[in-house]
Amino acid sequence: MKERTLSIIKPDCVSNRNAGKVIDILEEKGFSIVAMKKIKLTKKQAEGFYIVHKERPFYESLCTFMSEGPIIAMVLEKENAVADYRELMGATNPKEASKGTLRAMFATDIERNAVHGSDSLESADFEIGYFFNALEILQ
Ligand code: IDP
Ligand code: MG
């Protein structure tokens, strides 16, 4: 089944000028970009996005990082997009990420790990709606 998932190129990866490489790989791997925008989140907007993590010890630092500079948010479409994009991203900690994954290639550490991807169809619905309205997404 064709699915849609939310991808974010995080501030570290945008400021390192690796965004184009990430987008190139996404297209090579068969993901279609059905929406895309470059924005800088406020700390409050980052907190809202990561609300599920609000009790985690890294929440405060994560939200500061995610609002330090521009990000590129994209809606990706493909068969099995949620799981396939999680696999392409690799493990949260780049030290554990398999060779060839985006995090193995572009992440610095467990926090500054280059990319985000929705972890389920349910999260994808919430996360896509957080960044895009219906008019901004190709039908
Ligand atoms: P995920 O992005 O692989 O789904 P999550 O557990 O959902 O990982 O965590 C969200 C984000 O929070 C991670 O991508 C990373 O930027 C950051 N993060 C996760 N665990 C840690 C940690 O132990 N220390 C610092 N930052 C973390
Ligand atoms: Mg997650």
Side-chain angles (χ1 to χ4, degrees), residues 53 86 116 119:
H53 291 318
R86 293 287 299 184
H116 166 86
D119 64 7

Side-chain angles (χ1 to χ4, degrees), residues 50 52-53 86 92 103 116-119 127:
Y50 278 119
V52 294
H53 291 318
R86 293 287 299 184
T92 309
R103 283 167 167 168
H116 166 86
S118 309
D119 64 7
E127 294 179 354

Side-chain angles (χ1 to χ4, degrees), residues 14-67:
V14 172
S15 68
N16 290 342
R17 299 182 178 270
N18 284 322
K21 287 176 202 146
V22 170
I23 292 167
D24 201 24
I25 294 166
L26 292 174
E27 292 198 312
E28 249 172 44
K29 298 288 182 186
F31 293 89
S32 298
I33 299 166
V34 296
M36 173 156 70
K37 61 171 76 164
K38 185 175 190 177
I39 46 175
K40 185 173 183 295
L41 295 176
T42 64
K43 179 99 180 277
K44 286 234 169 334
Q45 289 169 333
E47 287 168 358
F49 180 71
Y50 278 119
I51 195 73
V52 294
H53 291 318
K54 66 176 186 304
E55 306 302 339
R56 304 280 197 95
F58 57 80
Y59 180 63
E60 164 71 24
S61 174
L62 170 63
C63 295
T64 299
F65 159 54
M66 288 299 288
S67 55

